[in-house]
Amino acid sequence: MSVEPEVPIVQVEEVRENPVLYKIISSDNHVFTISEHAVKLSKTLWDLITNLGLTAENALDNPIPVENVNGKNMETIVQFCERHKYDEEEPEYTNYIREFVLPEWDRQLLSIDNEELFQLILATNYLDIQKLMDYCCRVIGDMAKDKTPEELRIIYGIPTDAEDDALERSASDSPGPSG
Amino acid sequence: MCAEPTWQGIPSRIKQDIVTSLDYRSRFRLRVCSKSDQYLVDNSPIILEGLKILWRPSGLALAVKKDGKVSEIHDNSTDKLINLFFDVFKVKRSFVKNVEMQFLLYMNEIRLEPLIARIQLMTDHDLKIRTNHASLIVHGLSNQDFTNFFRLFDSKVLESIKFENKHSQDQLKEISSFEVWKSLRQIDICLKQSVPLDSLLHMNRLKYFSSNLSSEGIWKLRADLSPGFGFSVTCGNNLTENEVVSGLGEQFNSLAIRLNGNQYELSQLFSTLAADLVFVVTLEFKKLQGYVCNRRTVNEDFEKFNKWDTEPISFLRSNRSN
């Protein structure tokens, strides 16, 4: 009777639950911990980590300051990245179309007021997270459905041409920093 | 991050993505919000599932399909609808999966001048129609105008085309030398006209008329027995069963079968080099069809193949939004 060699069985989930962690500090000094798989979704952060030469050993001792993103947005972004860290790679654009269904979990995450959503878009753009950007764009696009131009102006905060001209005039009339 | 967290503060590249995801109506409602949004909308690509100029009892209409819904625009002015159709492609990244145009002879009141003028304008501005599937049933276009129209399609994305215009041998030879023809994977030529066989051999699905199909021609046609490959040829000559079988290659084992309960003059199943694939061939009333099917689902696969040429126009069968 042959005896089976003792091979340690490593569960995939165990490996997943033991990730390398990084610390990120938001513009208002909130500290967030994010796993390596999750942080890779942000091209900007991952480039920074690679360029700084952060490793599993020194990552937690070297928090990464992100001056352009506040704590509230960073919290949403970290939640999003942790949620999607094991997603299969993004499909490439096929003939300019990337078709996707916005999952309910993400729709809930992005159910925030318009100003926060626009802030999140700017933060997502800065951190270069393609999937979150696609989802934010979808949510903003969905807001426009069945709305009149007047309603769109209110939802998106679009000034009329007259208001826009008046703003421009007052900006050019006001004295500059030197004057 | 100095930009304002408002619509105005979002980088224009991102706003273009948002505009591109909007449905047709929302897009035009946003367009009238301000001058900058008008500029934004006019310069954002339009991505659609389908765009079709068609005839309704009330006159010409433009059907637009996006997100599974079809909207129709009706207008008495042919010029206006043709302009709307071509305006979609004014922004270079615009893309429409299925494009169709139906100008039939009985539509007496339709003038082709606006179409010819827009074809010329698109050519002059080096603009392309970016679509995967095109169906052009445009009666009354001259050979030269059709050639110019055909050239508008972007060879990088066009996969299949269906057309019904009658062409001379010389013109077909000219068209088949274009890059856009060489990149085609499927073709459906409706009217009887002899297309040079060699110009079709790079495609994996073809439907056409051959004035004189020989065993040698059949041998050339069946050279690529990869999944999805199929042909449907209406022959001008009387093909015999022996010619078909010898053309298909006797080295393969063949077996007479009955398909979907139909009685064909000839229906044979040929084995292929792939164990799970068979090549099914039928002959009926001068129409020779061959299709690579899965061994287990021969009847279903062949049934689907019989309908493939109508797939591109099926986009209008979904729900009309209004």
Side-chain angles (χ1 to χ4, degrees):
Chain A
M1 199 175 85
S2 65
V3 178
E4 297 242 338
E6 277 189 24
V7 178
I9 298 168
V10 180
Q11 297 289 343
V12 175
E13 283 305 314
E14 279 179 30
V15 173
R16 285 182 174 187
E17 293 311 316
N18 253 328
V20 179
L21 296 172
Y22 296 90
K23 267 186 185 167
I24 295 170
I25 304 178
S26 65
S27 59
D28 45 1
N29 292 322
H30 287 90
V31 180
F32 295 88
T33 307
I34 187 167
S35 66
E36 184 172 34
H37 277 100
V39 84
K40 277 182 177 174
L41 293 186
S42 161
K43 198 168 179 304
T44 305
L45 286 177
W46 187 243
D47 283 350
L48 202 60
I49 286 166
T50 314
N51 291 335
L52 290 171
L54 297 185
T55 61
E57 289 73 34
N58 66 9
L60 285 173
D61 300 330
N62 292 282
I64 305 158
V66 180
E67 299 289 336
N68 292 340
V69 182
N70 66 27
K72 195 160 190 180
N73 285 324
M74 191 59 88
E75 188 181 349
T76 307
I77 286 167
V78 170
Q79 277 185 51
F80 178 88
C81 291
E82 291 293 348
R83 174 84 178 184
H84 291 283
K85 62 185 172 185
Y86 295 129
D87 286 2
E88 283 177 17
E89 270 190 33
E90 285 294 295
E92 289 297 310
Y93 279 92
T94 309
N95 297 326
Y96 320 104
I97 294 178
R98 183 151 57 197
E99 286 168 356
F100 63 87
V101 174
L102 181 61
E104 190 48 40
W105 186 91
D106 298 275
R107 194 174 282 283
Q108 289 290 329
L109 182 76
L110 301 176
S111 296
I112 49 182
D113 73 40
N114 294 359
E115 191 181 334
E116 281 176 358
L117 193 54
F118 285 126
Q119 267 182 359
L120 184 64
I121 278 216
L122 293 172
T124 305
N125 183 45
Y126 173 70
L127 294 176
D128 201 352
I129 306 169
Q130 186 56 53
K131 185 174 238 168
L132 181 56
M133 182 58 83
D134 285 346
Y135 286 7
C136 287
C137 287
R138 172 68 61 85
V139 171
I140 290 189
D142 286 352
M143 287 173 173
K145 274 186 185 156
D146 304 322
K147 301 293 188 300
T148 63
E150 200 45 54
E151 287 169 328
L152 284 177
R153 276 206 195 95
I154 295 164
I155 292 167
Y156 287 172
I158 302 170
T160 60
D161 288 333
E163 288 166 346
D164 214 17
D165 290 345
L167 274 173
E168 261 185 40
R169 266 198 307 275
S170 66
S172 60
D173 290 347
S174 65
S178 58
Chain B
M1 201 168 63
C2 306
E4 284 285 307
T6 61
W7 176 251
Q8 307 296 91
I10 295 180
S12 60
R13 181 182 52 80
I14 298 170
K15 283 205 279 194
Q16 276 195 351
D17 282 350
I18 294 169
V19 172
T20 301
S21 77
L22 294 180
D23 61 80
Y24 219 58
R25 283 168 196 277
S26 304
R27 196 178 163 105
F28 284 98
R29 284 171 182 162
L30 178 63
R31 190 178 181 273
V32 296
C33 281
S34 69
K35 279 181 196 160
S36 60
D37 287 309
Q38 181 182 342
Y39 181 83
L40 172 75
V41 170
D42 289 347
N43 288 283
S44 298
I46 298 174
I47 311 284
L48 299 172
E49 288 160 59
L51 189 64
K52 176 174 183 172
I53 289 189
L54 73 164
W55 184 253
R56 293 283 182 208
S58 55
L60 211 58
L62 180 68
V64 181
K65 184 175 180 184
K66 188 171 173 75
D67 298 333
K69 287 181 182 168
V70 179
S71 310
E72 279 191 17
I73 300 164
H74 296 257
D75 200 288
N76 291 332
S77 160
T78 307
D79 300 35
K80 194 173 170 187
L81 291 175
I82 287 175
N83 283 336
L84 279 173
F85 178 95
F86 283 100
D87 281 351
V88 168
F89 303 99
K90 269 197 328 195
V91 180
K92 290 206 169 185
R93 282 166 54 217
S94 289
F95 170 79
V96 181
K97 197 165 180 139
N98 300 301
V99 156
E100 283 187 70
M101 198 172 269
Q102 280 188 0
F103 287 168
L104 305 177
L105 279 176
Y106 64 81
M107 303 172 183
N108 294 328
E109 53 262 66
I110 292 177
R111 295 161 44 243
L112 288 173
E113 289 81 4
L115 173 64
I116 296 163
R118 280 307 297 249
I119 291 170
Q120 189 57 50
L121 199 66
M122 293 276 287
T123 308
D124 292 345
H125 288 84
D126 198 23
L127 292 171
K128 292 286 181 193
I129 298 175
R130 293 171 184 274
T131 185
N132 284 152
H133 309 288
S135 173
L136 307 177
I137 301 178
V138 187
H139 294 171
L141 265 192
S142 72
N143 279 348
Q144 188 53 53
D145 290 328
F146 183 84
T147 303
N148 293 341
F149 197 4
F150 188 79
R151 281 191 122 143
L152 288 182
F153 290 88
D154 188 340
S155 62
K156 292 188 191 79
V157 287
L158 189 67
E159 292 171 11
S160 77
I161 196 161
K162 174 177 182 171
F163 62 87
E164 208 181 80
N165 295 54
K166 183 85 182 156
H167 303 283
S168 65
Q169 276 278 26
D170 284 346
Q171 199 200 2
L172 283 169
K173 204 173 163 188
E174 186 192 2
I175 289 175
S176 64
S177 71
F178 296 159
E179 202 53 45
V180 62
W181 179 286
K182 289 176 185 167
S183 64
L184 282 173
R185 301 292 295 144
Q186 296 186 8
I187 198 158
D188 178 355
I189 307 171
C190 302
L191 285 186
K192 283 186 179 181
Q193 45 200 324
S194 252
V195 186
L197 177 59
D198 288 344
S199 71
L200 299 169
L201 297 178
H202 62 285
M203 302 182 196
N204 85 331
R205 273 194 198 190
L206 40 143
K207 184 179 173 191
Y208 76 109
F209 172 84
S210 170
S211 56
N212 190 16
L213 188 65
S214 62
S215 293
E216 191 194 349
I218 297 170
W219 171 253
K220 282 184 178 178
L221 271 177
R222 53 119 291 180
D224 168 26
L225 291 186
S226 55
F229 172 78
F231 59 73
S232 174
V233 188
T234 305
C235 307
N237 54 318
N238 285 313
L239 271 177
T240 65
E241 206 173 301
N242 281 344
E243 281 172 315
V244 174
V245 175
S246 68
L248 288 164
E250 287 161 344
Q251 76 271 36
F252 295 109
N253 295 323
S254 70
L255 181 72
I257 54 159
R258 194 178 165 90
L259 272 170
N260 298 315
N262 290 334
Q263 193 67 56
Y264 294 96
E265 288 168 49
L266 167 87
S267 55
Q268 293 265 349
L269 180 147
F270 293 79
S271 57
T272 70
L273 294 174
D276 58 332
L277 298 176
V278 289
F279 189 51
V280 177
V281 178
T282 63
L283 178 66
E284 189 187 26
F285 301 125
K286 297 190 173 188
K287 185 176 174 185
L288 180 70
Q289 292 196 101
Y291 184 54
V292 175
C293 302
N294 192 296
R295 192 179 282 278
R296 290 182 180 174
T297 51
V298 168
N299 276 298
E300 294 91 325
D301 288 1
F302 201 79
E303 181 85 15
K304 259 189 219 163
F305 173 69
N306 263 326
K307 293 176 180 165
W308 75 266
D309 56 313
T310 57
E311 279 170 15
I313 60 165
S314 61
F315 84 82
L316 278 181
R317 291 190 193 122
S318 355
N319 301 331
R320 293 229 329 244
S321 59
N322 50 32

PDB file of all heavy atoms in Angstrom, chain B residues 286-307:
ATOM      1  N   LYS B 286     -31.478  24.270 -57.477  1.00  0.00           N
ATOM      2  CA  LYS B 286     -30.271  25.004 -57.885  1.00  0.00           C
ATOM      3  C   LYS B 286     -29.625  25.784 -56.737  1.00  0.00           C
ATOM      4  O   LYS B 286     -28.781  26.644 -56.968  1.00  0.00           O
ATOM      5  CB  LYS B 286     -30.564  25.967 -59.046  1.00  0.00           C
ATOM      6  CG  LYS B 286     -31.005  25.275 -60.317  1.00  0.00           C
ATOM      7  CD  LYS B 286     -31.032  26.267 -61.451  1.00  0.00           C
ATOM      8  CE  LYS B 286     -31.300  25.559 -62.766  1.00  0.00           C
ATOM      9  NZ  LYS B 286     -31.153  26.437 -63.899  1.00  0.00           N
ATOM     10  N   LYS B 287     -30.082  25.557 -55.542  1.00  0.00           N
ATOM     11  CA  LYS B 287     -29.480  26.266 -54.395  1.00  0.00           C
ATOM     12  C   LYS B 287     -28.630  25.267 -53.617  1.00  0.00           C
ATOM     13  O   LYS B 287     -29.163  24.291 -53.058  1.00  0.00           O
ATOM     14  CB  LYS B 287     -30.588  26.838 -53.520  1.00  0.00           C
ATOM     15  CG  LYS B 287     -30.086  27.688 -52.374  1.00  0.00           C
ATOM     16  CD  LYS B 287     -31.296  28.271 -51.651  1.00  0.00           C
ATOM     17  CE  LYS B 287     -30.915  29.008 -50.403  1.00  0.00           C
ATOM     18  NZ  LYS B 287     -32.095  29.462 -49.674  1.00  0.00           N
ATOM     19  N   LEU B 288     -27.339  25.541 -53.603  1.00  0.00           N
ATOM     20  CA  LEU B 288     -26.408  24.671 -52.894  1.00  0.00           C
ATOM     21  C   LEU B 288     -26.021  25.335 -51.583  1.00  0.00           C
ATOM     22  O   LEU B 288     -25.577  26.486 -51.565  1.00  0.00           O
ATOM     23  CB  LEU B 288     -25.149  24.454 -53.756  1.00  0.00           C
ATOM     24  CG  LEU B 288     -24.070  23.565 -53.155  1.00  0.00           C
ATOM     25  CD1 LEU B 288     -24.530  22.102 -53.093  1.00  0.00           C
ATOM     26  CD2 LEU B 288     -22.773  23.661 -53.969  1.00  0.00           C
ATOM     27  N   GLN B 289     -26.226  24.621 -50.486  1.00  0.00           N
ATOM     28  CA  GLN B 289     -25.872  25.188 -49.180  1.00  0.00           C
ATOM     29  C   GLN B 289     -24.929  24.246 -48.449  1.00  0.00           C
ATOM     30  O   GLN B 289     -25.081  23.027 -48.523  1.00  0.00           O
ATOM     31  CB  GLN B 289     -27.122  25.381 -48.323  1.00  0.00           C
ATOM     32  CG  GLN B 289     -28.054  26.445 -48.835  1.00  0.00           C
ATOM     33  CD  GLN B 289     -29.042  26.852 -47.742  1.00  0.00           C
ATOM     34  OE1 GLN B 289     -28.892  27.867 -47.085  1.00  0.00           O
ATOM     35  NE2 GLN B 289     -30.051  26.032 -47.568  1.00  0.00           N
ATOM     36  N   GLY B 290     -23.990  24.814 -47.737  1.00  0.00           N
ATOM     37  CA  GLY B 290     -23.090  24.003 -46.920  1.00  0.00           C
ATOM     38  C   GLY B 290     -22.801  24.736 -45.630  1.00  0.00           C
ATOM     39  O   GLY B 290     -22.650  25.961 -45.634  1.00  0.00           O
ATOM     40  N   TYR B 291     -22.781  24.003 -44.526  1.00  0.00           N
ATOM     41  CA  TYR B 291     -22.544  24.677 -43.246  1.00  0.00           C
ATOM     42  C   TYR B 291     -21.858  23.722 -42.271  1.00  0.00           C
ATOM     43  O   TYR B 291     -22.225  22.548 -42.172  1.00  0.00           O
ATOM     44  CB  TYR B 291     -23.878  25.160 -42.656  1.00  0.00           C
ATOM     45  CG  TYR B 291     -23.717  25.956 -41.392  1.00  0.00           C
ATOM     46  CD1 TYR B 291     -22.881  27.072 -41.356  1.00  0.00           C
ATOM     47  CD2 TYR B 291     -24.363  25.588 -40.226  1.00  0.00           C
ATOM     48  CE1 TYR B 291     -22.718  27.797 -40.196  1.00  0.00           C
ATOM     49  CE2 TYR B 291     -24.215  26.317 -39.052  1.00  0.00           C
ATOM     50  CZ  TYR B 291     -23.380  27.420 -39.045  1.00  0.00           C
ATOM     51  OH  TYR B 291     -23.216  28.133 -37.894  1.00  0.00           O
ATOM     52  N   VAL B 292     -20.866  24.252 -41.575  1.00  0.00           N
ATOM     53  CA  VAL B 292     -20.172  23.458 -40.561  1.00  0.00           C
ATOM     54  C   VAL B 292     -21.028  23.452 -39.294  1.00  0.00           C
ATOM     55  O   VAL B 292     -21.293  24.500 -38.724  1.00  0.00           O
ATOM     56  CB  VAL B 292     -18.768  24.035 -40.264  1.00  0.00           C
ATOM     57  CG1 VAL B 292     -18.110  23.269 -39.124  1.00  0.00           C
ATOM     58  CG2 VAL B 292     -17.890  23.988 -41.509  1.00  0.00           C
ATOM     59  N   CYS B 293     -21.470  22.276 -38.904  1.00  0.00           N
ATOM     60  CA  CYS B 293     -22.363  22.153 -37.732  1.00  0.00           C
ATOM     61  C   CYS B 293     -21.681  21.325 -36.644  1.00  0.00           C
ATOM     62  O   CYS B 293     -20.772  20.539 -36.921  1.00  0.00           O
ATOM     63  CB  CYS B 293     -23.643  21.398 -38.112  1.00  0.00           C
ATOM     64  SG  CYS B 293     -24.581  22.147 -39.436  1.00  0.00           S
ATOM     65  N   ASN B 294     -22.181  21.494 -35.443  1.00  0.00           N
ATOM     66  CA  ASN B 294     -21.740  20.614 -34.373  1.00  0.00           C
ATOM     67  C   ASN B 294     -22.410  19.259 -34.587  1.00  0.00           C
ATOM     68  O   ASN B 294     -23.598  19.195 -34.895  1.00  0.00           O
ATOM     69  CB  ASN B 294     -22.149  21.223 -33.022  1.00  0.00           C
ATOM     70  CG  ASN B 294     -21.479  20.505 -31.877  1.00  0.00           C
ATOM     71  OD1 ASN B 294     -21.722  19.326 -31.641  1.00  0.00           O
ATOM     72  ND2 ASN B 294     -20.626  21.227 -31.187  1.00  0.00           N
ATOM     73  N   ARG B 295     -21.658  18.196 -34.423  1.00  0.00           N
ATOM     74  CA  ARG B 295     -22.181  16.854 -34.692  1.00  0.00           C
ATOM     75  C   ARG B 295     -23.466  16.564 -33.900  1.00  0.00           C
ATOM     76  O   ARG B 295     -24.357  15.882 -34.366  1.00  0.00           O
ATOM     77  CB  ARG B 295     -21.089  15.831 -34.330  1.00  0.00           C
ATOM     78  CG  ARG B 295     -21.347  14.431 -34.799  1.00  0.00           C
ATOM     79  CD  ARG B 295     -20.196  13.527 -34.419  1.00  0.00           C
ATOM     80  NE  ARG B 295     -19.041  13.682 -35.292  1.00  0.00           N
ATOM     81  CZ  ARG B 295     -18.903  13.083 -36.483  1.00  0.00           C
ATOM     82  NH1 ARG B 295     -19.858  12.315 -36.938  1.00  0.00           N
ATOM     83  NH2 ARG B 295     -17.818  13.261 -37.214  1.00  0.00           N
ATOM     84  N   ARG B 296     -23.544  17.115 -32.695  1.00  0.00           N
ATOM     85  CA  ARG B 296     -24.688  16.815 -31.822  1.00  0.00           C
ATOM     86  C   ARG B 296     -25.923  17.667 -32.119  1.00  0.00           C
ATOM     87  O   ARG B 296     -27.014  17.339 -31.686  1.00  0.00           O
ATOM     88  CB  ARG B 296     -24.295  17.051 -30.365  1.00  0.00           C
ATOM     89  CG  ARG B 296     -23.318  16.031 -29.851  1.00  0.00           C
ATOM     90  CD  ARG B 296     -23.027  16.310 -28.401  1.00  0.00           C
ATOM     91  NE  ARG B 296     -22.077  15.348 -27.882  1.00  0.00           N
ATOM     92  CZ  ARG B 296     -21.550  15.413 -26.685  1.00  0.00           C
ATOM     93  NH1 ARG B 296     -21.881  16.385 -25.877  1.00  0.00           N
ATOM     94  NH2 ARG B 296     -20.680  14.506 -26.268  1.00  0.00           N
ATOM     95  N   THR B 297     -25.722  18.808 -32.782  1.00  0.00           N
ATOM     96  CA  THR B 297     -26.857  19.719 -32.982  1.00  0.00           C
ATOM     97  C   THR B 297     -26.998  20.100 -34.454  1.00  0.00           C
ATOM     98  O   THR B 297     -27.177  21.276 -34.790  1.00  0.00           O
ATOM     99  CB  THR B 297     -26.675  21.001 -32.129  1.00  0.00           C
ATOM    100  OG1 THR B 297     -25.362  21.531 -32.401  1.00  0.00           O
ATOM    101  CG2 THR B 297     -26.826  20.742 -30.660  1.00  0.00           C
ATOM    102  N   VAL B 298     -26.902  19.113 -35.314  1.00  0.00           N
ATOM    103  CA  VAL B 298     -26.899  19.368 -36.761  1.00  0.00           C
ATOM    104  C   VAL B 298     -28.168  20.101 -37.211  1.00  0.00           C
ATOM    105  O   VAL B 298     -28.100  21.135 -37.882  1.00  0.00           O
ATOM    106  CB  VAL B 298     -26.750  18.036 -37.530  1.00  0.00           C
ATOM    107  CG1 VAL B 298     -27.039  18.227 -39.001  1.00  0.00           C
ATOM    108  CG2 VAL B 298     -25.346  17.478 -37.341  1.00  0.00           C
ATOM    109  N   ASN B 299     -29.323  19.599 -36.799  1.00  0.00           N
ATOM    110  CA  ASN B 299     -30.584  20.200 -37.260  1.00  0.00           C
ATOM    111  C   ASN B 299     -30.722  21.646 -36.821  1.00  0.00           C
ATOM    112  O   ASN B 299     -31.058  22.527 -37.606  1.00  0.00           O
ATOM    113  CB  ASN B 299     -31.768  19.383 -36.755  1.00  0.00           C
ATOM    114  CG  ASN B 299     -32.044  18.203 -37.665  1.00  0.00           C
ATOM    115  OD1 ASN B 299     -32.352  18.369 -38.835  1.00  0.00           O
ATOM    116  ND2 ASN B 299     -31.876  17.016 -37.128  1.00  0.00           N
ATOM    117  N   GLU B 300     -30.431  21.913 -35.544  1.00  0.00           N
ATOM    118  CA  GLU B 300     -30.552  23.280 -34.995  1.00  0.00           C
ATOM    119  C   GLU B 300     -29.556  24.223 -35.668  1.00  0.00           C
ATOM    120  O   GLU B 300     -29.896  25.344 -36.047  1.00  0.00           O
ATOM    121  CB  GLU B 300     -30.303  23.297 -33.482  1.00  0.00           C
ATOM    122  CG  GLU B 300     -31.337  22.569 -32.665  1.00  0.00           C
ATOM    123  CD  GLU B 300     -30.972  21.096 -32.445  1.00  0.00           C
ATOM    124  OE1 GLU B 300     -30.373  20.492 -33.371  1.00  0.00           O
ATOM    125  OE2 GLU B 300     -31.286  20.562 -31.381  1.00  0.00           O
ATOM    126  N   ASP B 301     -28.323  23.736 -35.820  1.00  0.00           N
ATOM    127  CA  ASP B 301     -27.285  24.589 -36.411  1.00  0.00           C
ATOM    128  C   ASP B 301     -27.631  24.948 -37.854  1.00  0.00           C
ATOM    129  O   ASP B 301     -27.474  26.095 -38.284  1.00  0.00           O
ATOM    130  CB  ASP B 301     -25.919  23.891 -36.378  1.00  0.00           C
ATOM    131  CG  ASP B 301     -25.363  23.823 -34.976  1.00  0.00           C
ATOM    132  OD1 ASP B 301     -26.041  24.289 -34.052  1.00  0.00           O
ATOM    133  OD2 ASP B 301     -24.237  23.307 -34.809  1.00  0.00           O
ATOM    134  N   PHE B 302     -28.113  23.938 -38.598  1.00  0.00           N
ATOM    135  CA  PHE B 302     -28.406  24.197 -40.009  1.00  0.00           C
ATOM    136  C   PHE B 302     -29.603  25.146 -40.149  1.00  0.00           C
ATOM    137  O   PHE B 302     -29.624  26.015 -41.015  1.00  0.00           O
ATOM    138  CB  PHE B 302     -28.659  22.888 -40.756  1.00  0.00           C
ATOM    139  CG  PHE B 302     -28.455  23.031 -42.238  1.00  0.00           C
ATOM    140  CD1 PHE B 302     -27.172  23.017 -42.771  1.00  0.00           C
ATOM    141  CD2 PHE B 302     -29.517  23.238 -43.092  1.00  0.00           C
ATOM    142  CE1 PHE B 302     -26.956  23.204 -44.130  1.00  0.00           C
ATOM    143  CE2 PHE B 302     -29.317  23.422 -44.456  1.00  0.00           C
ATOM    144  CZ  PHE B 302     -28.034  23.399 -44.969  1.00  0.00           C
ATOM    145  N   GLU B 303     -30.552  24.986 -39.262  1.00  0.00           N
ATOM    146  CA  GLU B 303     -31.731  25.869 -39.237  1.00  0.00           C
ATOM    147  C   GLU B 303     -31.277  27.320 -39.007  1.00  0.00           C
ATOM    148  O   GLU B 303     -31.728  28.251 -39.679  1.00  0.00           O
ATOM    149  CB  GLU B 303     -32.657  25.424 -38.094  1.00  0.00           C
ATOM    150  CG  GLU B 303     -33.923  26.233 -37.953  1.00  0.00           C
ATOM    151  CD  GLU B 303     -35.035  25.747 -38.851  1.00  0.00           C
ATOM    152  OE1 GLU B 303     -34.913  24.631 -39.369  1.00  0.00           O
ATOM    153  OE2 GLU B 303     -35.987  26.516 -39.061  1.00  0.00           O
ATOM    154  N   LYS B 304     -30.356  27.486 -38.051  1.00  0.00           N
ATOM    155  CA  LYS B 304     -29.843  28.835 -37.740  1.00  0.00           C
ATOM    156  C   LYS B 304     -29.118  29.403 -38.962  1.00  0.00           C
ATOM    157  O   LYS B 304     -29.253  30.565 -39.296  1.00  0.00           O
ATOM    158  CB  LYS B 304     -28.844  28.764 -36.578  1.00  0.00           C
ATOM    159  CG  LYS B 304     -29.424  29.175 -35.259  1.00  0.00           C
ATOM    160  CD  LYS B 304     -28.306  29.290 -34.249  1.00  0.00           C
ATOM    161  CE  LYS B 304     -28.743  28.766 -32.899  1.00  0.00           C
ATOM    162  NZ  LYS B 304     -27.622  28.496 -32.030  1.00  0.00           N
ATOM    163  N   PHE B 305     -28.330  28.561 -39.615  1.00  0.00           N
ATOM    164  CA  PHE B 305     -27.576  29.023 -40.775  1.00  0.00           C
ATOM    165  C   PHE B 305     -28.511  29.511 -41.873  1.00  0.00           C
ATOM    166  O   PHE B 305     -28.259  30.514 -42.532  1.00  0.00           O
ATOM    167  CB  PHE B 305     -26.676  27.911 -41.305  1.00  0.00           C
ATOM    168  CG  PHE B 305     -26.010  28.266 -42.600  1.00  0.00           C
ATOM    169  CD1 PHE B 305     -25.041  29.251 -42.626  1.00  0.00           C
ATOM    170  CD2 PHE B 305     -26.373  27.671 -43.787  1.00  0.00           C
ATOM    171  CE1 PHE B 305     -24.433  29.623 -43.823  1.00  0.00           C
ATOM    172  CE2 PHE B 305     -25.777  28.030 -44.991  1.00  0.00           C
ATOM    173  CZ  PHE B 305     -24.809  29.012 -44.993  1.00  0.00           C
ATOM    174  N   ASN B 306     -29.624  28.796 -42.050  1.00  0.00           N
ATOM    175  CA  ASN B 306     -30.605  29.193 -43.064  1.00  0.00           C
ATOM    176  C   ASN B 306     -31.087  30.615 -42.857  1.00  0.00           C
ATOM    177  O   ASN B 306     -31.518  31.285 -43.780  1.00  0.00           O
ATOM    178  CB  ASN B 306     -31.819  28.260 -42.994  1.00  0.00           C
ATOM    179  CG  ASN B 306     -31.714  27.161 -44.024  1.00  0.00           C
ATOM    180  OD1 ASN B 306     -31.186  27.378 -45.107  1.00  0.00           O
ATOM    181  ND2 ASN B 306     -32.188  25.980 -43.685  1.00  0.00           N
ATOM    182  N   LYS B 307     -31.016  31.082 -41.589  1.00  0.00           N
ATOM    183  CA  LYS B 307     -31.568  32.405 -41.271  1.00  0.00           C
ATOM    184  C   LYS B 307     -30.503  33.475 -41.121  1.00  0.00           C
ATOM    185  O   LYS B 307     -30.829  34.613 -40.822  1.00  0.00           O
ATOM    186  CB  LYS B 307     -32.361  32.315 -39.962  1.00  0.00           C
ATOM    187  CG  LYS B 307     -33.599  31.488 -40.063  1.00  0.00           C
ATOM    188  CD  LYS B 307     -34.274  31.358 -38.714  1.00  0.00           C
ATOM    189  CE  LYS B 307     -35.532  30.522 -38.816  1.00  0.00           C
ATOM    190  NZ  LYS B 307     -35.994  30.102 -37.494  1.00  0.00           N
TER     191      LYS B 307
END
